[in-house]
């Protein structure tokens, strides 16, 4: 197992193609006698290529060109956007519809893919048949920080392979441990981490763009994620799913590195606040059992209200009042707790119905709640 670090300043398909071609050889990934490839980028929500939220399509295009040179006949891009995301819009806005049409490759919504049931630690899990059967499964994460798992890299990107029910089950199980178990049952043949532009702070959706100007290419998820943490200035020993992966022998304790010197590409990524995400006086309380789409539903609702004139005189003044003059605390997910704070607490999503009733708090239903429900409830 080897991980290659490759400096890459911009999303230029031609130069990325050359870097990826060499890196595939250097990490010992074998493309010979293979015909089908499943490429799994991160397209968690509808976001533009330059948003730093999704894997940039230029990286995927460069990889497709390399696979075509090597005689691949069936190249498929597959992703299952997050629970509650507008899937059609996610593929359109991200540029992946355009890329699939340009390269004449299939783009598949894994949330609707045919699934095979396999056994794992928690009983059975349904994984996309197309991923399990491809000659080559390539995991293409974006380098980002994450409010619940510290980082989202190769291991976390695999969550997009799951059915909606399994995605929610993951959160109910506490996220980090099931990520390790998932890494045992589905193993990519190749990993290419898009870290030309990553995200720091309140990732995976609300952080700031952070240029790392690098691609990280490997074949082992734990090892590749460990190297990415080092580049991000984050101690991998403090990232639960990575350290657990090492303990359970899914990856080596010390990575085998090649390519550019890691010292030259290290760039400190600011981490997400461990207790809460915050915008002015609006706090979204962290809970490992809450799904990302529930966590981000409130900020998505605020963003959507900006484009809706009706809400300029209803929701936005009220939101501004709380955000500037008062305090608003949002809780979500199973096992949510009411924070010991002064101010209004709002319970988001079906998982918090009981706690809202028990404590006489505002409850917004939905799994996850949609923007309309949130705006109306407030
Ligand atoms: S209510 Fe929210 S946290 Fe609970 S299962 Fe649904 S999306 Fe996940």
């Amino acid at each position: 197992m080897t991980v290659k670090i490759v400096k890459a300043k911009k999303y230029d398909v031609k130069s990325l193609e050359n870097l990826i071609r060499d890196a595939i050889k250097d990490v010992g990934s074998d493309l010979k006698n293979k015909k089908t490839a499943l490429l799994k980028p991160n397209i968690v929500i509808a976001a533009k290529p330059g948003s730093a939220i999704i894997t940039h399509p230029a990286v995927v295009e460069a990889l497709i060109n390399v696979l075509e040179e090597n005689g691949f006949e069936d190249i498929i891009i597959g992703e299952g956007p997050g629970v509650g995301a507008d899937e059609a819009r996610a593929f359109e806005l991200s540029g992946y519809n355009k890329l699939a049409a340009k390269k004449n490759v299939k783009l598949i919504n894994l949330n609707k893919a045919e699934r095979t049931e396999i056994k794992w630690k928690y009983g059975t899990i349904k994984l996309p048949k197309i991923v399990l059967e491809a000659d080559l499964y390539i995991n293409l994460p974006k380098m980002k920080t994450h409010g619940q798992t510290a980082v989202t890299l190769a291991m976390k990107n695999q969550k997009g392979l799951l059915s909606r029910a399994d995605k929610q089950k993951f959160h109910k199980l506490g996220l980090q441990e099931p990520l390790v178990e998932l890494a045992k049952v589905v193993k990519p043949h190749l990993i290419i981490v898009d870290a030309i532009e990553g995200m720091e702070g309140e990732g995976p959706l609300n952080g700031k763009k952070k240029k790392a100007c690098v691609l990280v290419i490997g074949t082992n998820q734990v090892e590749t994620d460990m190297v990415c943490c080092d580049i991000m200035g984050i101690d991998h020993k403090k990232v639960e799913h990575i350290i657990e992966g090492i303990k359970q022998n899914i990856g080596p304790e010390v990575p085998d590195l090649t390519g550019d010197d890691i010292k030259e590409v290290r760039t400190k990524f600011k981490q997400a606040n461990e207790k809460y995400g915050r915008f002015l006086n609006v706090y979204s309380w962290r809970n490992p059992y809450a799904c990302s789409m529930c966590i981000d539903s409130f900020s998505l609702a605020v963003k959507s209200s900006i484009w809706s004139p009706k809400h300029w005189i209803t929701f936005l003044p009220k939101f501004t009042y709380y955000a500037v003059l008062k305090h608003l605390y949002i809780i979500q997910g199973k096992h949510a707790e009411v924070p010991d704070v002064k101010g209004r607490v709002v319970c988001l999503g079906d998982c918090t119905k009981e706690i809202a009733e028990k404590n006489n708090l505002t409850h917004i239903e939905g799994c996850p709640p949609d923007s309309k429900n949130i705006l109306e409830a407030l």
Side-chain angles (χ1 to χ4, degrees), residues 234-275:
I234 293 172
D235 183 359
H236 74 264
K237 294 194 186 87
K238 293 188 179 148
V239 181
E240 218 178 303
H241 60 276
I242 297 179
I243 202 66
E244 198 50 39
I246 296 169
K247 274 192 210 154
Q248 297 196 33
N249 279 326
I250 309 173
E253 270 182 54
V254 181
D256 177 32
L257 284 176
T258 186
D260 287 306
D261 190 339
I262 197 161
K263 287 193 221 81
E264 290 174 16
V265 295
R266 264 190 203 122
T267 175
K268 182 83 189 146
F269 275 56
K270 195 172 166 232
Q271 283 192 259
N273 184 305
E274 279 178 13
K275 260 188 167 173

Side-chain angles (χ1 to χ4, degrees), residues 83 164 167-169 171-172 289-295 332-334 348-352 366-369:
V83 175
R164 179 188 169 108
K167 277 185 183 128
Q168 288 171 330
K169 189 173 164 190
H171 285 275
K172 287 174 184 164
Y289 299 97
C291 305
S292 318
M293 292 314 294
C294 225
I295 296 167
Q332 56 262 308
K334 213 173 159 60
L348 269 191
D350 293 351
C351 286
T352 56
C367 181

Side-chain angles (χ1 to χ4, degrees), residues 122-359:
Y122 310 100
T124 55
I125 186 167
K126 289 179 181 166
L127 293 168
K129 221 172 160 193
I130 207 160
V131 175
L132 301 175
E133 288 178 357
D135 294 336
L136 196 72
Y137 154 46
I138 306 174
N139 181 344
L140 291 129
K142 186 81 169 169
M143 182 182 275
K144 295 188 282 185
T145 48
H146 195 285
Q148 291 167 298
T149 56
V151 290
T152 165
L153 299 160
M155 291 172 83
K156 178 71 175 52
N157 191 37
Q158 292 214 119
K159 204 169 142 263
L161 302 177
L162 307 179
S163 66
R164 179 188 169 108
D166 280 331
K167 277 185 183 128
Q168 288 171 330
K169 189 173 164 190
F170 251 57
H171 285 275
K172 287 174 184 164
L173 289 167
L175 204 53
Q176 306 254 21
E177 202 185 300
L179 284 180
V180 180
E181 295 304 320
L182 182 63
K184 289 183 194 166
V185 293
V186 54
K187 297 174 186 163
H189 301 96
L190 181 67
I191 300 150
I192 301 177
V193 184
D194 170 14
I196 298 174
E197 292 175 348
M199 178 177 279
E200 66 173 356
E202 299 305 311
L205 304 181
N206 293 312
K208 287 197 179 133
K209 189 184 284 186
K210 173 82 175 175
K211 288 190 177 188
C213 296
V214 72
L215 291 179
V216 184
I217 296 121
T219 54
N220 179 284
Q221 298 174 82
V222 175
E223 186 185 32
T224 309
D225 283 4
M226 205 191 307
V227 174
C228 286
C229 283
D230 195 351
I231 291 171
M232 299 163 91
I234 293 172
D235 183 359
H236 74 264
K237 294 194 186 87
K238 293 188 179 148
V239 181
E240 218 178 303
H241 60 276
I242 297 179
I243 202 66
E244 198 50 39
I246 296 169
K247 274 192 210 154
Q248 297 196 33
N249 279 326
I250 309 173
E253 270 182 54
V254 181
D256 177 32
L257 284 176
T258 186
D260 287 306
D261 190 339
I262 197 161
K263 287 193 221 81
E264 290 174 16
V265 295
R266 264 190 203 122
T267 175
K268 182 83 189 146
F269 275 56
K270 195 172 166 232
Q271 283 192 259
N273 184 305
E274 279 178 13
K275 260 188 167 173
Y276 49 75
R278 180 183 173 190
F279 175 71
L280 299 172
N281 288 338
V282 179
Y283 296 77
S284 174
W285 229 250
R286 302 262 189 246
N287 174 5
Y289 299 97
C291 305
S292 318
M293 292 314 294
C294 225
I295 296 167
D296 292 304
S297 59
F298 191 84
S299 62
L300 291 173
V302 175
K303 281 176 194 157
S304 78
S305 72
I306 294 166
W307 304 107
S308 156
K310 179 180 127 192
H311 293 114
W312 295 349
I313 48 166
T314 53
F315 173 78
L316 279 175
K318 194 169 248 184
F319 174 74
T320 310
Y321 168 72
Y322 274 105
V324 179
L325 300 173
K326 292 276 179 181
H327 288 87
L328 187 64
Y329 299 94
I330 297 156
I331 59 172
Q332 56 262 308
K334 213 173 159 60
H335 310 305
E337 286 173 14
V338 181
D340 185 15
V341 287
K342 278 188 189 147
R344 186 175 174 191
V345 178
V346 171
C347 304
L348 269 191
D350 293 351
C351 286
T352 56
K353 192 166 188 271
E354 215 173 288
I355 196 172
E357 280 170 3
K358 206 164 137 196
N359 295 279

